[in-house]
Amino acid sequence: MKIAAVIAEYNPFHNGHRYQIEQTRLLTGADYVLALMSGNFVQRGAPAIFNKYLRTRMALLGGADAVIELPCLYALSSAEFFAGGAVALLNRLGSIDFLSFGSEEGNLDSILALAGRLAYPSRGYDSLLRSLLKQGLSFPAARYQALAQADSGHKGRIPETLLTSPNNILALEYCKSLLATNSPIRPFTLKRQGSPYHGKDLDGKPGGFSSACAIRAAIEGTRPGILEEYPASFLTCGDFSSLLHYRLLMGQEDGFSDYLDCSVDLSDRIRNSLPEFEGFDSFCRLLKTKEVTYTRISRILMHILLEIRTPKAYAAPFLERRLPVPYARLLGFRRTCAPLLSAIKKNADIPLLSKLADAPALLGRCSAQSPERDGLHMLRQDVLASDIYEAVYSGKYGGGAAKNEYRQSPVIL
């Protein structure tokens, strides 16, 4: 039995995702395709447009055999930790043969070669990178220049798009993590089809490949034709503005520098700028600089809102880093995938959680000494994120009390 995995947000699920699952199954010969999906918050520092259970159902209807949740800590992290946490989880399942990902490059040999140079950089690379970042370059630009200068004797020029295009960046991070962990999982890439990652226009052709960005914009703008395929109720960053403002006001005395990604300088700017707070989006724009992008600001504000502080594991050097993944949370599956779930249960060295009520017995008591490594602490973080998401959704659309995460069952088709 062969099992392929894809790491995704499905925000929302669309034809490009369906194509990836179909082609992955066809070209790898996989019997099953497992999706490791972000929960209710996504990597760009925003709420998912639809909740994780609806997106799980979309993924299963679109061809995935099972969906496991990527813990919120990693789903809301930078590309390096998003990929690192996801690969660490897949490694611990003990059953995955392939990791399939899209890329603008489409050439696995080129991606692997550069991933190796990044995982095991030349002498001087790290100091060059720090120097360029201090000069005000964005991280992608600084990394490209540092690598080019440190590897000046290396044959072949590095295509800049390989280090700056969104899917290429994640592809490199996946391969870096596979290399660094000596993973038995084999990488597999498909060249991105259709609209660019940040494409704004919808592809009106039947079966066309519109970007998730264009689809979200159409949903949020209630563009005709889109709401026939997607629900009319959704969430955006703006829906969290009041909650964020309250959280910032309550925390301003102590500052925010112990939250993930937030520097002392940015913490001070947040505190000093609070009188000008008008909403989530406008506050991100107010705080962003040439060095600190809108997306990073948005992630940091979400870290503050969701109480996500910097884990000790994040401070370790890349090759020594061991990111905690104490469990795999099952969000949904097809009834036909019993052999897949059996293989995971047999081979994984972490529990596969389908009922939250079983978590205390499976994960043990929380350790006050190292809470970031404890399964219950991470699970509670995920539950809090889901509860906040559902509370905001309930407040926006009514319909009674917010859904309780402990009463949610996996989606089964």
Side-chain angles (χ1 to χ4, degrees):
M1 180 172 64
K2 292 182 182 179
I3 302 171
V6 295
I7 301 166
E9 293 183 326
Y10 297 149
N11 189 36
F13 191 90
H14 55 67
N15 287 335
H17 299 133
R18 188 188 307 273
Y19 173 84
Q20 182 190 18
I21 293 171
E22 290 172 350
Q23 292 299 303
T24 294
R25 195 186 302 275
L26 175 67
L27 297 175
T28 66
D31 299 287
Y32 299 100
V33 177
L34 169 75
L36 179 56
M37 187 187 79
S38 300
N40 285 332
F41 294 87
V42 295
Q43 204 251 339
R44 64 191 179 91
I49 196 165
F50 306 126
N51 75 44
K52 60 188 178 184
Y53 296 103
L54 177 55
R55 286 163 34 245
T56 292
R57 179 173 295 278
M58 291 176 176
L60 296 175
L61 290 171
D65 294 294
V67 179
I68 286 176
E69 181 176 3
L70 179 65
C72 187
L73 170 65
Y74 302 123
L76 263 173
S77 284
S78 64
E80 180 174 82
F81 292 100
F82 175 94
V87 168
L89 197 158
L90 293 177
N91 281 338
R92 298 198 70 176
L93 294 182
S95 304
I96 308 301
D97 297 290
F98 299 96
L99 171 56
S100 172
F101 47 84
S103 64
E104 289 89 359
E105 171 66 21
N107 185 313
L108 185 59
D109 289 340
S110 298
I111 294 169
L112 282 171
L114 185 51
R117 291 164 68 181
L118 290 169
Y120 306 94
S122 303
R123 183 177 298 178
Y125 167 79
D126 289 334
S127 59
L128 274 170
L129 179 61
R130 286 193 295 270
S131 174
L132 290 166
L133 287 171
K134 286 180 180 178
Q135 294 175 32
L137 271 69
S138 66
F139 181 79
R143 183 165 68 164
Y144 175 74
Q145 288 195 27
L147 195 64
Q149 292 179 41
D151 289 3
S152 57
H154 196 283
K155 292 183 179 179
R157 179 181 174 275
I158 304 166
E160 189 168 0
T161 55
L162 198 49
L163 282 163
T164 56
S165 299
N167 290 113
N168 284 344
I169 290 172
L170 277 174
L172 287 168
E173 295 299 341
Y174 294 144
C175 290
K176 271 177 58 184
S177 293
L178 291 173
L179 290 170
T181 57
N182 295 312
S183 176
I185 300 172
R186 286 172 282 175
F188 171 80
T189 192
L190 287 166
K191 188 173 178 64
R192 182 181 175 89
Q193 302 293 314
S195 301
Y197 184 90
H198 293 298
K200 302 290 186 182
D201 298 323
L202 292 172
D203 187 336
K205 300 175 185 176
F209 295 103
S210 298
S211 70
C213 183
I215 294 172
R216 286 194 302 272
I219 293 170
E220 293 167 18
T222 62
R223 189 179 300 181
I226 283 295
L227 296 184
E228 296 173 6
E229 299 179 46
Y230 297 102
S233 53
F234 56 87
L235 292 183
T236 68
C237 283
D239 297 313
F240 291 76
S241 293
S242 295
L243 198 57
L244 173 65
H245 194 200
Y246 169 80
R247 180 67 191 85
L248 295 176
L249 289 170
M250 291 296 291
Q252 62 181 323
E253 184 175 344
D254 295 329
F256 308 101
S257 59
D258 58 339
Y259 288 93
L260 181 57
D261 287 338
C262 191
S263 65
V264 173
D265 176 66
L266 180 57
S267 173
D268 290 341
R269 287 199 290 117
I270 291 173
R271 296 165 72 187
N272 293 334
S273 301
L274 264 176
E276 300 174 66
F277 186 98
E278 295 181 355
F280 200 116
D281 177 70
S282 61
F283 201 57
C284 287
R285 296 185 187 284
L286 178 66
L287 293 171
K288 85 178 197 65
T289 64
K290 184 178 179 181
E291 299 84 14
V292 187
T293 64
Y294 178 101
T295 297
R296 184 180 173 192
I297 294 291
S298 187
R299 270 201 303 268
I300 291 168
L301 294 179
M302 277 298 179
H303 294 158
I304 296 169
L305 177 61
L306 301 177
E307 287 286 333
I308 299 177
R309 300 173 191 270
T310 306
K312 290 180 181 177
Y314 275 37
F318 177 69
L319 293 175
E320 300 171 22
R321 191 179 296 155
R322 295 296 178 266
L323 297 176
V325 279
Y327 58 85
R329 175 88 186 280
L330 184 65
L331 292 180
F333 59 92
R334 289 176 169 270
R335 297 181 190 276
T336 54
C337 81
L340 165 62
L341 299 182
S342 295
I344 291 174
K345 290 176 182 178
K346 177 182 177 181
N347 298 317
D349 62 359
I350 52 175
L352 181 65
L353 299 179
S354 55
K355 295 181 181 178
L356 282 184
D358 297 336
L362 292 171
L363 298 177
R365 293 182 177 274
C366 184
S367 165
Q369 285 72 35
S370 55
E372 73 280 0
R373 297 181 183 177
D374 182 80
L376 280 178
H377 175 83
M378 184 175 283
L379 185 61
R380 287 168 185 155
Q381 199 171 58
D382 288 349
V383 171
L384 175 64
S386 292
D387 286 347
I388 289 174
Y389 184 98
E390 291 297 340
V392 171
Y393 182 89
S394 179
K396 182 177 181 179
Y397 292 105
K403 292 179 182 178
N404 187 304
E405 185 72 358
Y406 278 87
R407 296 178 182 174
Q408 295 289 330
S409 299
V411 178
I412 305 174
L413 295 185

